[in-house]
Amino acid sequence: MGRGKIAIRRIENNTNRQVTFSKRRGGLFKKAHELSVLCDAQIGLIIFSSTGKLSEYCSLPSSMEQIIRRYQRVTGTHISKQDNREQLHNEITRMRNETHNLQLSLQRYTGDDLSSIQFKDLEELEQQLEHSIKKVRARKYQLLQQQIDNLQRKAKMLEDENEQICHWIQEKQQVVAMEQQQQLGIELKPVEEQQVMEQFPFSGEEQPNSVLQLATLPPHFYPYRLQPTHPNLQDLTLQYPGFGSIGTTPTND
């Protein structure tokens, strides 16, 4: 089965084009060598690739220069040898003059060596400098405004972050305060019950029958004792020795 025909047109893919060029160039050099050997022909082959790379083939024992000279004699063409020294000298002179003029312009812009400048030239120089100053100031103000805008955006971002952090701290403080209140409520409950028990010492015991049993005498209170010298009580005191320690005073008959 034979190979299909390939359309003769430019290969768009760069890689495929380079591979095809290398293969076809090798085949072309091989065919030229076979032709020169089989037919005893002088062949000179020059190829430039799409990237500008030179490839050449020359049949032995000839050289590429001999083949080119023979081609010129046969065709009658002549490649003139141009002397470029004068052209190079003119180009160097022109570049030196331009460099000198640029140096003079720089000196004028910096204010050096203004003695040789005419009044009209000075006016033009002044206008150019003022125009340049306006451009420089406009650029400076533009950069300053950009820096101010960046700083304002950064400050706004920091303020938002600060507000978020403050809000978060307040929420945490509220949560901690609620937890502490709950813990204090749990701890204070037994203490309050103990204080109530201390205020009512008869809890769990037999309650008094009257208010008189709850009354207690102060430590500075001393019971009144009846003296045996009182009239009408001497006999009672002798009969009832503990009668004088009663906290009430009998009346005389």
Side-chain angles (χ1 to χ4, degrees):
M1 184 175 180
R3 294 182 299 175
K5 292 184 178 181
I6 300 175
I8 305 302
R9 63 173 180 267
R10 183 177 182 273
I11 301 173
E12 299 298 334
N13 189 285
N14 189 17
T15 303
N16 295 338
R17 185 170 61 249
Q18 186 66 29
V19 172
T20 303
F21 173 78
S22 299
K23 291 181 179 180
R24 295 292 180 108
R25 181 188 57 184
L28 184 59
F29 285 167
K30 183 178 179 181
K31 292 295 183 182
H33 176 68
E34 291 176 356
L35 180 60
S36 66
V37 173
L38 293 175
C39 301
D40 193 17
Q42 292 182 355
I43 299 175
L45 181 61
I46 299 174
I47 300 175
F48 287 98
S49 66
S50 60
T51 59
K53 184 178 179 181
L54 171 64
S55 300
E56 63 179 9
Y57 170 78
C58 181
S59 60
L60 299 176
S62 302
S63 63
M64 186 62 69
E65 289 80 4
Q66 293 175 355
I67 293 175
I68 291 174
R69 284 196 298 267
R70 185 174 178 180
Y71 171 78
Q72 291 176 355
R73 286 195 303 267
V74 172
T75 59
T77 58
H78 178 70
I79 301 175
S80 60
K81 294 182 180 180
Q82 297 180 357
D83 191 2
N84 296 328
R85 286 181 295 179
E86 184 177 358
Q87 184 179 359
L88 290 174
H89 178 72
N90 295 331
E91 186 68 20
I92 291 172
T93 303
R94 184 183 65 81
M95 294 179 66
R96 284 179 178 174
N97 293 331
E98 289 182 358
T99 304
H100 180 68
N101 293 331
L102 290 173
Q103 290 178 352
L104 290 177
S105 299
L106 290 174
Q107 289 179 359
R108 291 175 181 177
Y109 284 124
T110 55
D112 299 333
D113 193 13
L114 298 176
S115 59
S116 61
I117 303 177
Q118 299 297 325
F119 181 78
K120 184 177 180 180
D121 296 334
L122 288 173
E123 285 185 346
E124 292 179 356
L125 180 61
E126 183 180 5
Q127 292 177 0
Q128 291 177 358
L129 290 175
E130 288 179 354
H131 183 66
S132 300
I133 289 172
K134 290 179 180 179
K135 286 173 135 183
V136 171
R137 286 176 179 172
R139 179 59 180 167
K140 183 182 72 172
Y141 293 148
Q142 183 181 3
L143 293 176
L144 288 174
Q145 187 63 36
Q146 290 178 359
Q147 293 179 359
I148 291 171
D149 295 340
N150 293 332
L151 291 174
Q152 288 178 352
R153 286 195 296 269
K154 187 175 181 180
K156 186 66 171 59
M157 291 173 61
L158 292 175
E159 289 178 358
D160 295 339
E161 292 180 359
N162 190 17
E163 290 180 358
Q164 293 178 359
I165 292 172
C166 292
H167 184 67
W168 181 79
I169 291 174
Q170 290 178 359
E171 290 181 351
K172 290 295 182 182
Q173 289 178 350
Q174 292 177 0
V175 172
V176 172
M178 291 176 64
E179 292 179 354
Q180 290 179 354
Q181 289 179 0
Q182 292 177 358
Q183 292 179 358
L184 290 174
I186 295 173
E187 293 177 357
L188 289 175
K189 188 174 180 180
V191 175
E192 292 176 355
E193 292 180 354
Q194 184 177 1
Q195 291 178 356
V196 172
M197 293 291 293
E198 292 177 355
Q199 291 177 1
F200 300 95
F202 298 102
S203 175
E205 299 179 359
E206 184 178 358
Q207 299 297 325
N209 295 326
S210 62
V211 180
L212 294 176
Q213 295 183 4
L214 292 175
T216 56
L217 295 176
H220 60 276
F221 179 79
Y222 294 99
Y224 178 77
R225 298 183 63 86
L226 296 175
Q227 299 297 328
T229 57
H230 285 278
N232 301 323
L233 294 177
Q234 184 176 6
D235 297 336
L236 291 173
T237 302
L238 293 174
Q239 294 179 0
Y240 302 100
F243 180 76
S245 61
I246 298 174
T248 57
T249 305
T251 56
N252 294 328
D253 293 335

